[in-house]
Amino acid sequence: MSRTSTLRTLAVWVAFAAILLALPMVFTSRTSLTVMNVMGIWVVFALAYNMLLGQSGMLSFGHAVYFGLGGYAAIHLVVAIKAQRLGIPVFAVPLVGFMAGMAAGAVIGWFSCRRSGTPFAMISLGIGELVAAAGFMFVSVFGGEEGISGDRSAGPRIFGLTLGPQIHVFYFIAFWMFVSTLAMWAFTKTPLGRLANAVRDNPDRVAFIGYDPQRIRFLVFLISGGFAGLAGALSAVNFEIINPETLGAQGSGAVLLMTFIGGAGVFYGPIIGAAIITFMQSMLSDFTKVWQLYLGLLFVVMVLFAPFGIGGIVARILGAVKRGELAEKLPGWLLGTLGGLTTFFGAVMVIEMAYRIREGGRPFRAFGRDFVHTSPLNWVLAGIIVAAGIAIVTVAVRWRQRGTLGAALRFREVAP
């Protein structure tokens, strides 16, 4: 790595740390702190999951197991700190979550990593359901449906943080998120990280040059499980409670959505995905009752039209800037973005009005105007908006394929 590249990388991490320190000064409300805390937890979990999916090519449907077990290990320690007055600061509890996640990964990965592809995915799904069911059966360990709660303000202080106020919890989560993110980024630069990429792309060639793909998958699985457990510990400290639902398919599905929508192909993709999905879960639900439908639509659109994710889109833009091609490609990209937003707004109109046919309630309101579902004109308008958006996107795609806007507007491509 050259000196210039090293300084650039250092500047990025310093800027990241500065942003984390400044965020509570910009977003000062209690709600904002709560959302950012949850966002930080999901960032760690999504990056841990991407060590499997994006870097090693291992699709897991049960990674919430390690998140939940790390959380349970953390909450049991928090309870013991208060009950037995242990001299362990709660600030260090995430390390226990990391070790618990790694231990669970060692046991489960010993046999699951013997397979790859679809068999590995099915094994992970079965293990996830098995552990989630056990969570409701073994009440003494998992607390049953009520879960286990603890007091995060117990134990000695460190750095003056009591973990009582939300601002203290924010800096606690921000610290561990920064450390975890830096550690997982550093892992991608290690020989093991490079070999994980090679196993993802061509395991036969890795075996041919003398490395065991199964062992590489197992080691990556261990590390990924550890960081997932650390994220679970952060969640346990943040909410002061954890229950068996954290072990189930809902968490595994959510982290899969975050990673894929954000972009598994770039390191910062899961960070973007975690921020977007957390915002939708926390804030969008206040505006519409069908927000989960929008989340599903976003996932389908990304799969069909941008399988490289939002992070991949950002990477392409940065690549165009680096190659000096931004001025050439930007108009087409902006036109495509306009078409996508237009289509999205038309789809929102259709969905919201359709929802109100059965459920009733206040009319859908946008841009200072009410769109009543009983008016045929509003349905016609929604259809026109959707059609116009699709037409704009089509022109943008043809522009990229044919080279000029004039050629894109022709119904037929003129042969050279």
Side-chain angles (χ1 to χ4, degrees):
M1 183 179 290
S2 65
R3 180 180 177 85
T4 303
S5 179
T6 302
L7 291 176
R8 187 184 301 115
T9 302
L10 181 61
V12 169
W13 287 105
V14 171
F16 183 36
I19 291 172
L20 291 178
L21 290 173
L23 277 176
M25 305 174 190
V26 179
F27 304 99
T28 57
S29 68
R30 185 178 179 85
T31 301
S32 298
L33 289 174
T34 301
V35 172
M36 289 189 293
N37 289 345
V38 176
M39 199 174 291
I41 295 167
W42 280 110
V43 163
V44 177
F45 190 22
L47 286 172
Y49 183 78
N50 196 46
M51 294 181 74
L52 292 182
L53 180 61
Q55 297 176 33
S56 307
M58 303 166 67
L59 175 62
S60 173
F61 291 122
H63 215 55
V65 167
Y66 315 100
F67 178 92
L69 292 178
Y72 269 106
I75 202 69
H76 279 296
L77 179 58
V78 169
V79 172
I81 288 174
K82 183 174 182 179
Q84 303 178 21
R85 297 185 178 181
L86 301 178
I88 303 173
V90 177
F91 195 90
V93 163
L95 292 175
V96 176
F98 181 89
M99 290 185 288
M102 182 172 283
V107 175
I108 299 172
W110 177 77
F111 58 87
S112 64
C113 290
R114 296 175 183 269
R115 296 291 183 269
S116 60
T118 303
F120 172 82
M122 293 300 99
I123 292 173
S124 69
L125 178 62
I127 292 296
E129 292 303 309
L130 177 67
V131 176
F136 290 99
M137 297 177 185
F138 299 98
V139 179
S140 60
V141 178
F142 299 100
E145 294 183 359
E146 296 181 357
I148 299 175
S149 58
D151 182 7
R152 68 189 180 204
S153 61
R157 300 183 183 183
I158 187 170
F159 302 131
L161 300 179
T162 63
L163 296 184
Q166 281 290 88
I167 186 65
H168 289 192
V169 179
F170 170 83
Y171 284 118
F172 161 75
I173 293 176
F175 171 82
W176 283 109
M177 184 191 75
F178 181 84
V179 171
S180 301
T181 304
L182 181 59
M184 284 185 273
W185 173 82
F187 171 80
T188 64
K189 307 300 180 182
T190 63
L192 178 59
R194 300 297 189 186
L195 284 171
N197 297 157
V199 168
R200 174 197 63 196
D201 298 333
N202 196 330
D204 293 333
R205 179 168 293 183
V206 173
F208 179 77
I209 62 176
Y211 293 96
D212 185 359
Q214 177 184 325
R215 179 173 297 180
I216 293 170
R217 293 191 190 101
F218 177 68
L219 292 175
V220 175
F221 194 86
L222 282 180
I223 300 171
S224 175
F227 282 108
L230 189 147
L234 293 178
S235 177
V237 174
N238 180 54
F239 295 109
E240 297 181 289
I241 188 172
I242 192 165
N243 57 55
E245 290 184 1
T246 58
L247 301 164
Q250 184 174 358
S252 299
V255 75
L256 172 61
L257 288 176
M258 292 176 184
T259 305
F260 197 92
I261 290 174
V266 292
F267 178 78
Y268 53 82
I271 299 177
I272 298 174
I276 292 175
I277 302 303
T278 303
F279 181 81
M280 292 182 70
Q281 290 177 334
S282 303
M283 307 302 293
L284 192 60
S285 58
D286 295 335
F287 299 96
T288 176
K289 296 181 179 180
V290 293
W291 66 271
Q292 290 178 317
L293 179 59
Y294 296 126
L295 178 58
L297 287 175
L298 176 61
F299 180 71
V300 172
V301 169
M302 297 302 296
V303 171
L304 291 176
F305 302 105
F308 38 80
I310 298 174
I313 296 174
V314 174
R316 288 193 173 191
I317 294 174
L318 295 176
V321 172
K322 187 176 181 179
R323 294 188 300 270
E325 300 174 353
L326 184 62
E328 176 186 350
K329 295 185 176 182
L330 185 60
W333 286 344
L334 291 177
L335 185 64
T337 302
L338 174 62
L341 292 175
T342 303
T343 306
F344 173 74
F345 178 70
V348 169
M349 287 183 61
V350 172
I351 292 170
E352 293 295 335
M353 290 192 297
Y355 174 75
R356 284 162 175 77
I357 291 177
R358 179 177 178 85
E359 301 296 332
R362 294 181 299 176
F364 169 60
R365 186 174 181 82
F367 302 109
R369 185 180 183 277
D370 290 333
F371 295 93
V372 183
H373 65 275
T374 55
S375 172
L377 181 61
N378 288 332
W379 288 96
V380 173
L381 178 61
I384 292 174
I385 293 175
V386 171
I390 294 175
I392 295 173
V393 171
T394 302
V395 171
V397 172
R398 288 181 176 179
W399 191 352
R400 185 186 65 183
Q401 294 173 344
R402 300 180 181 180
T404 64
L405 180 59
L409 293 174
R410 298 190 190 102
F411 286 103
R412 294 182 180 180
E413 185 175 5
V414 178

